[in-house]
Amino acid sequence: MIDSHCHLDLDPFKQDWEAVLHRAKKEGLTRLLIPGTHPRNLPWQRNIFLAASSCLPVDLALGVHPYFITQDLQPSDIVRFLEAAFSCDEVNPVAIGEIGLDGHIDTPMKRQKDCLNVQIQFAQERQLPIILHHRKTHHLLFEALKETQFEGGGVIHAFSGSKEVAQAYIDKGFYLGFGGTITYARGAKTKETLAYVFEKHPERILIETDAPDMPMQGRQGERNSPEYLGEVISSIAKQTGATKEAIDKLSSDNYYKCFGLSAKSL
Ligand SMILES: [Zn+2]
């Protein structure tokens, strides 16, 4: 199974990420993607990427997450950071992300949007997919995709929303990342959407933990971890009537297609 979104480079994993990876591998994890959050985390991402590939294949994405768009970070700084990171050939990012718009933070939406658009344009120029973060911002993300005329697809990470919203992203070439939310009884709308996507567009389903955030049901207050990805698979299997093996295979195949990878590439 492949964790398509896991922040193993963040502080909660700083002491024991290697042990976490080994345990996750025992649980059946075969690969994971570490999205970018902030320029200062790139060295950590790179360390894990280089060290972990002996244990598990790790893919990297680069980008600046809306949480880290501070007053002193200009859109031009972000572009400079991305250009510098891409010019070193030690890492080979598979996507631009995690980027997006968050409706629950104080950073003005105009500024978030300016920083998002330059990163989408960067992805467009490099012909890379994007990893999008949303929170009460689907309408604004569609606006940004339109403004930038982005056609490269990618994934809407931690998808929650209606069937109509899901379909609109699918029509634009996106995959949908399902994680902890669907393990909770209260995620009724997203579960309904999952059932719809599973029936109509199973080729667009990805799975993720978003660790250390988004703990699964029964683990509230704990650090989330790629070790628990199997709980997302079990939950999808239970809700769709498919076997866990089928969900594992489906989501892994989809992952390779989404990021233009072949199963063997490290
Ligand atoms: Zn994330």
Side-chain angles (χ1 to χ4, degrees):
M1 56 189 180
I2 301 178
D3 192 347
S4 65
H5 196 108
C6 170
H7 297 284
L8 206 63
D9 59 320
L10 295 188
D11 284 348
F13 290 114
K14 218 153 200 177
Q15 302 305 326
D16 67 341
W17 64 266
E18 258 176 313
V20 168
L21 269 189
H22 280 286
R23 288 199 298 270
K25 191 179 177 183
K26 273 199 193 125
E27 294 293 327
L29 192 75
T30 54
R31 192 172 187 122
L32 76 161
L33 185 146
I34 305 179
T37 50
H38 188 278
R40 77 167 169 256
N41 259 46
L42 177 61
W44 259 105
Q45 274 184 284
R46 185 189 285 142
N47 282 348
I48 297 174
F49 172 76
L50 294 172
S53 31
S54 57
C55 167
L56 279 178
V58 172
D59 297 309
L60 297 186
L62 292 179
V64 179
H65 190 291
Y67 289 177
F68 299 99
I69 294 168
T70 46
Q71 278 303 335
D72 55 347
L73 193 70
Q74 301 299 323
S76 56
D77 298 328
I78 297 180
V79 175
R80 261 200 307 279
F81 154 65
L82 290 173
E83 276 167 356
F86 271 76
S87 68
C88 90
D89 37 53
E90 214 175 22
V91 294
N92 191 12
V94 298
I96 295 299
E98 172 174 358
I99 59 176
L101 300 171
D102 194 298
H104 285 192
I105 55 176
D106 292 337
T107 312
M109 199 46 83
K110 159 94 175 66
R111 192 150 162 80
Q112 290 193 46
K113 191 99 174 279
D114 290 346
C115 292
L116 171 66
N117 284 7
V118 293
Q119 296 188 87
I120 294 180
Q121 276 152 5
F122 188 91
Q124 182 95 300
E125 283 158 21
R126 308 265 164 160
Q127 295 188 306
L128 284 171
I130 56 178
I131 300 171
L132 279 182
H133 166 100
H134 70 88
R135 196 147 56 139
K136 303 257 176 251
T137 48
H138 288 311
H139 61 296
L140 294 171
L141 288 173
F142 284 114
E143 219 173 83
L145 292 171
K146 202 168 167 195
E147 280 165 19
T148 53
Q149 299 180 310
F150 183 69
E151 309 255 305
V155 55
I156 311 303
H157 128 73
F159 181 79
S160 67
S162 66
K163 288 185 249 186
E164 291 73 21
V165 171
Q167 185 63 55
Y169 282 121
I170 288 168
D171 291 343
K172 285 203 161 294
F174 282 90
Y175 290 70
L176 305 174
F178 291 96
T181 311
I182 56 154
T183 64
Y184 289 85
R186 67 168 190 265
K189 187 169 74 174
T190 301
K191 283 181 175 173
E192 208 179 287
T193 303
L194 169 67
Y196 169 81
V197 177
F198 184 78
E199 194 197 323
K200 304 273 186 200
H201 304 283
E203 77 288 354
R204 297 302 179 89
I205 292 176
L206 296 187
I207 55 170
E208 58 168 68
T209 60
D210 200 19
D213 298 324
M214 307 233 337
M216 317 287 165
Q217 179 162 39
R219 298 185 183 277
Q220 292 93 319
E222 279 179 44
R223 175 182 76 174
N224 194 12
S225 168
E227 297 156 75
Y228 310 141
L229 184 63
E231 294 174 25
V232 174
I233 291 192
S234 300
S235 186
I236 296 179
K238 209 160 113 195
Q239 287 168 54
T240 59
T243 63
K244 287 192 252 183
E245 292 69 27
I247 301 299
D248 181 3
K249 166 132 188 16
L250 172 74
S251 57
S252 297
D253 290 349
N254 294 348
Y255 177 88
Y256 291 116
K257 273 184 235 137
C258 177
F259 295 107
L261 299 162
S262 78
K264 286 198 184 71
S265 69
L266 286 184

